[in-house]
Structure formats: C-alpha cells, structure tokens
Amino acid sequence: MQWKEENRAQFAACLDGLADDPTVREMQTIPQHAKGISCYDHSLFVAYVAFIMCRACGLDYRAAARGGLLHDLYLQHWEETDVGRFRRLVLHPRLALQNARAFGLSPLEENIIVRHMWPLTITPPRYREAYLVSLADKICATVEMLHLYGPLGVRRNLSACSAELQRTAAL
C-alpha cells in the first residue's frame, strides 16, 4: 500500500471537502464489519485503496475516491430493522446511491456506488473504475473481518489521511 504523504494530499484534493460533510460524517455512528470500525472508517479505507489502484492503472482516480467514500452512504442502523443480512447486501447500494445523489454525482460515480456489491448483485459494473472500487471494498472488508486493521497499520494511516482531509478543508 502506498501510504505516502503526496498520495494523501492528492487523495484529499479528490474528495474536495466531501469527507467533512455532516451527512458523510454520520457514517461514523454506524458500525461496519468489525468492532471499532465504523462505516466511515471502512468507506475512507475503500476510497483510498480504490484511489491508489485507479491511479496506478491510469483510470479516473477522483471518481474512484469519491465513489469509494460514498459507496456505503446508506445511513441505516441495520440492527434496528428486521432486514436480514442477505437482503442488506443487495439493498444498501441503492440506499447509498439515493443519499449520495445530493452531492451531484457523475454517471461513473453513480455506477461505482450502485454496483459495488457485484458479483453478489446480478448486474455488473459498467466502468473499470467501478470494478476496482468493488474489488477494493472486498479487500478492505476482508482486512477488517480478519482483524488485520491494526497489524497492517490501517488505522494509523487513515488517521493521517483524516488529518490531511481536515487540513485541506481548512484552506
């Protein structure tokens, strides 16, 4: 993983203050794949990994970063509903897309969000960036569920990314 300072600065520029939006920050209250990891933490991790992968492949890394950050903007505390685990897997991308449309998404960003659960959902992504965000989502979820978040330094590096995001937003 390329957790370099120049990557963090360019990543922050791609998000252009999006990570500090109150609606996006609401994801901090929603638990994700493992104890101590919020939906926001997971989404920031996915956004950064997708940004790095798309940049390395010469693809639209800005859309990947934005779509990655917003891919789980479903804002639902599932434990307060009777929606089963499998139904959540196919339902949450559409909820996230509905919420994320408030940020003026491009067609690429919309496709990234609504197709990030492929191949569990039937319709495949339309763009290469959407495939890579979907892959980043699976990689990050696996790291989280295997409790490798700490040993791999993800929390420390995401904290550095968050600091860069806050510094950029203050400018």
Side-chain angles (χ1 to χ4, degrees):
M1 178 63 67
Q2 298 181 359
W3 296 103
K4 298 177 183 175
E5 188 173 336
E6 63 268 16
N7 289 341
R8 290 193 303 265
Q10 192 167 12
F11 175 68
C14 289
L15 296 181
D16 192 30
L18 187 62
D20 286 326
D21 183 275
T23 303
V24 173
R25 286 288 186 172
E26 194 175 327
M27 290 192 295
Q28 291 175 320
T29 68
I30 299 170
Q32 197 65 355
H33 300 111
K35 185 177 180 177
I37 299 172
S38 71
C39 185
Y40 179 85
D41 298 332
H42 166 74
S43 296
L44 190 60
F45 187 21
V46 170
Y48 189 81
V49 170
F51 161 81
I52 292 295
M53 291 190 318
C54 285
R55 202 166 126 210
C57 293
L59 300 174
D60 188 342
Y61 54 84
R62 181 181 186 276
R66 287 173 50 86
L69 183 64
L70 300 173
H71 83 282
D72 276 346
L73 190 68
Y74 51 80
L75 304 177
Q76 179 65 54
H77 291 266
W78 297 110
E79 66 280 1
E80 298 171 5
T81 71
D82 59 356
V83 177
R85 292 182 74 82
F86 182 75
R87 180 96 173 105
R88 290 178 214 169
L89 294 175
V90 294
L91 182 65
H92 85 270
R94 287 180 285 170
L95 292 173
L97 178 59
Q98 287 173 354
N99 293 330
R101 281 189 169 138
F103 298 105
L105 304 174
S106 70
L108 171 55
E109 292 165 343
E110 286 197 6
N111 191 254
I112 286 169
I113 295 166
V114 79
R115 298 291 175 231
H116 80 270
M117 286 306 294
W118 185 82
L120 293 175
T121 54
I122 296 170
T123 308
R126 184 177 300 145
Y127 304 97
R128 292 177 290 178
E129 292 88 347
Y131 280 101
L132 289 179
V133 172
S134 180
L135 177 61
D137 183 41
K138 275 77 177 154
I139 291 167
C140 295
T142 301
V143 166
E144 294 161 9
M145 289 186 283
L146 292 177
H147 305 285
L148 297 174
Y149 211 72
L152 293 178
V154 174
R155 187 170 310 282
R156 177 177 36 84
N157 285 298
L158 286 180
S159 290
C161 280
S162 290
E164 183 65 29
L165 290 168
Q166 290 173 352
R167 188 188 70 72
T168 303
L171 297 178

